[in-house]
Amino acid sequence: MEWRQFIIKSESNGSTIYKGHCIDLLDIMAYLLNFTYVLVEPPDRRWGVEIDGHWDGIVRQLIDRVVDFTVAPLAMSSERQRVIDFLSTPISYEYSDVAFRRLDQTMSKWRLLLDLFHPKVYLCLAVALVTVSSILAYIVHRTEGRTHGFVMSFAVSLWHMYACMCQRGGLIPRTGSGRMLVSSWCLFSVIMASIFSGKLIATLAVPKTPTPFHSLTELLDSEQYTLGIVGGEAHQQFISESTDDVLLRLWHTIMKHNKTDPSVTSSNVSKHMDRVLLGEYALVYTRYKEETPWSCDVDFLGQKIAVFTASLAMPKNSPIASDFNKLLMILTDRGIIQKLEDKWLSASSTCASTTSRTRPVTEQDLQSAFYTLIVGIVSAFVVLGIELLYVRIVKAS
């Protein structure tokens, strides 16, 4: 069964060629145990899950003894161990994760300044600004005997408090209570401005790739993404039979999408990959350790949904199982299995990394600052128009 670096299938001059981790392992075992072999693929191209008491895929071939053993990273599970035997020495450790397309960094840089803080932080800052300005306006209006009304006092206090946030100084009241309030607000503004500046410098120097969601729950709450899973795997059976609330919700969501789009449970990994790269498609994907994504545009959620051990499998009570078990243990003890892992399965990425080194700041990184200036200029002209209109109305009356 073709599966990434474990078994790579290709065509050459009309003949099928297999290579990869499992094929190298098979050739070593064939040489040391002195046997020849014929490779047979499962007709339904499925790994094997139990549906209404009947197994399919590779597991079905083992049960019917159509094949002598598997040469694929078949995940161990209690359900499969009831009907087939696994070799005691595993060939890989894998877990389910969620794969999705990375967001385009250039498309989101226009809101760089907004993304530095969570929206709730900006909301709290706005509430704090209005509240402190109202208190200061009340103090000034009650104690300093201003001739204008409370609304004008609030407007003046609001602009002065905003100036403090920009570290440009502000109103200094005559009373001790007013000065205590303003000094506390200025100290608060200095702290917030320092945090904002620090995050801005860090983001410009070592930017982080934005993610559309940070947890499985956030993904399930998003109606924008279609969810898929590689059909016929042990991971599918584990998730479908899980009693965990989040995993149950995950499976129900996949089944809901499957009603309108049966391809979301296809066993063809390549088709799933193509859909992930198109965007707005999340795939429950089996990873090997810290496996490199198949594309630099693909990222993983980093949440281990289900963890499995994979090994070679044989029919129940196979007469050749003991020989294979002994040989696989010897190959593991002598480091041969580790060398195959280093050759085929070690994570090696050619994608440009920005997480471990700084980079120059470009004009795209600074576009949000220019947008802020443009908004300020447009707002100033709008207010100017309102003021001119007000003056004209006053003169006319």
Side-chain angles (χ1 to χ4, degrees):
M1 185 76 159
E2 186 177 8
W3 188 249
R4 302 200 298 280
Q5 302 305 314
F6 287 95
I7 298 179
I8 303 170
K9 180 181 178 181
S10 60
E11 302 287 338
S12 179
N13 298 325
S15 60
T16 303
I17 298 175
Y18 297 93
K19 63 180 181 178
H21 176 278
C22 287
I23 301 301
D24 283 359
L25 177 60
L26 176 62
D27 289 335
I28 293 172
M29 292 190 299
Y31 173 77
L32 295 175
L33 293 178
N34 191 25
F35 66 84
T36 58
Y37 61 84
V38 176
L39 294 175
V40 180
E41 295 185 19
D44 56 4
R45 295 194 56 79
R46 293 176 67 84
W47 292 89
V49 294
E50 187 179 12
I51 303 175
D52 298 329
H54 298 280
W55 288 88
D56 59 11
I58 293 178
V59 176
R60 181 78 259 169
Q61 290 180 302
L62 291 170
I63 295 174
D64 294 340
R65 297 183 181 269
V66 176
V67 296
D68 295 301
F69 63 94
T70 65
V71 54
L74 192 65
M76 296 181 182
S77 68
S78 57
E79 293 81 6
R80 287 175 174 175
Q81 287 178 321
R82 287 190 287 102
V83 293
I84 60 176
D85 288 336
F86 286 91
L87 297 188
S88 58
T89 303
I91 62 173
S92 72
Y93 298 91
E94 57 191 35
Y95 63 93
S96 294
D97 203 347
V98 177
F100 55 91
R101 180 181 174 87
R102 296 175 185 267
L103 295 178
D104 188 356
Q105 285 183 288
T106 58
M107 296 295 293
S108 61
K109 285 184 177 179
W110 66 269
R111 61 174 195 267
L112 183 144
L113 294 178
L114 295 175
D115 290 340
L116 292 178
F117 284 160
H118 192 278
K120 291 181 180 179
V121 176
Y122 290 112
L123 178 61
C124 291
L125 287 174
V127 172
L129 176 62
V130 173
T131 302
V132 173
S133 299
S134 301
I135 297 174
L136 180 62
Y138 177 79
I139 293 175
V140 172
H141 186 71
R142 295 288 295 180
T143 60
E144 297 187 14
R146 293 294 177 91
T147 56
H148 45 70
F150 177 78
V151 175
M152 184 60 69
S153 297
F154 172 77
V156 173
S157 299
L158 182 65
W159 282 111
H160 281 291
M161 293 298 97
Y162 180 73
C164 288
M165 293 183 67
C166 299
Q167 299 184 8
R168 299 303 302 170
L171 176 68
I172 301 179
R174 298 175 184 174
T175 60
S177 58
R179 292 183 179 184
M180 182 66 68
L181 179 65
V182 170
S183 61
S184 300
W185 176 256
C186 289
L187 180 61
F188 170 78
S189 299
V190 169
I191 296 173
M192 295 304 299
S194 300
I195 297 174
F196 188 87
S197 301
K199 283 196 60 95
L200 178 61
I201 294 172
T203 302
L204 291 175
V206 187
K208 291 184 178 180
T209 303
T211 56
F213 40 82
H214 299 88
S215 66
L216 190 57
T217 304
E218 287 187 18
L219 170 60
L220 295 175
D221 290 337
S222 172
E223 297 182 355
Q224 181 180 1
Y225 276 77
T226 301
L227 271 71
I229 189 172
V230 180
E233 287 189 315
H235 300 257
Q236 175 186 340
Q237 191 160 8
F238 174 83
I239 295 173
S240 64
E241 298 177 356
S242 174
T243 56
D244 182 80
D245 293 338
V246 177
L247 296 186
L248 275 175
R249 189 180 168 197
L250 171 64
W251 180 248
H252 290 155
T253 304
I254 294 174
M255 289 296 98
K256 182 180 71 173
H257 295 158
N258 185 65
K259 291 180 180 179
T260 56
D261 184 6
S263 65
V264 299
T265 56
S266 169
S267 60
N268 191 321
V269 183
S270 299
K271 290 184 178 179
H272 285 294
M273 292 178 181
D274 294 338
R275 291 196 61 178
V276 170
L277 290 173
L278 290 175
E280 297 185 357
Y281 184 78
L283 175 64
V284 180
Y285 183 73
T286 305
R287 294 185 66 187
Y288 169 81
K289 291 184 178 178
E290 297 302 321
E291 179 188 358
T292 303
W294 60 82
S295 169
C296 295
D297 293 328
V298 174
D299 200 358
F300 290 114
L301 183 60
Q303 184 170 341
K304 295 183 179 180
I305 300 174
V307 182
F308 284 92
T309 299
S311 185
L312 306 185
M314 294 184 175
K316 277 289 185 180
N317 304 316
S318 172
I320 63 174
S322 60
D323 291 332
F324 275 74
N325 265 320
K326 292 177 183 177
L327 178 58
L328 206 53
M329 290 179 64
I330 293 173
L331 294 178
T332 302
D333 292 340
R334 296 188 178 181
I336 303 299
I337 301 297
Q338 184 61 50
K339 288 183 179 180
L340 292 179
E341 287 186 5
D342 295 339
K343 176 182 178 181
W344 292 103
L345 307 178
S346 295
S348 58
S349 176
T350 57
C351 304
S353 174
T354 58
T355 58
S356 60
R357 58 183 177 85
T358 58
R359 63 175 187 83
V361 177
T362 65
E363 70 281 358
Q364 289 183 340
D365 298 321
L366 299 177
Q367 59 180 295
S368 57
F370 288 98
Y371 293 151
T372 303
L373 178 61
I374 292 173
V375 170
I377 294 174
V378 173
S379 301
F381 275 104
V382 171
V383 174
L384 176 62
I386 296 174
E387 290 174 341
L388 292 176
L389 180 62
Y390 175 77
V391 171
R392 180 176 297 180
I393 293 174
V394 171
K395 286 184 178 180
S397 60

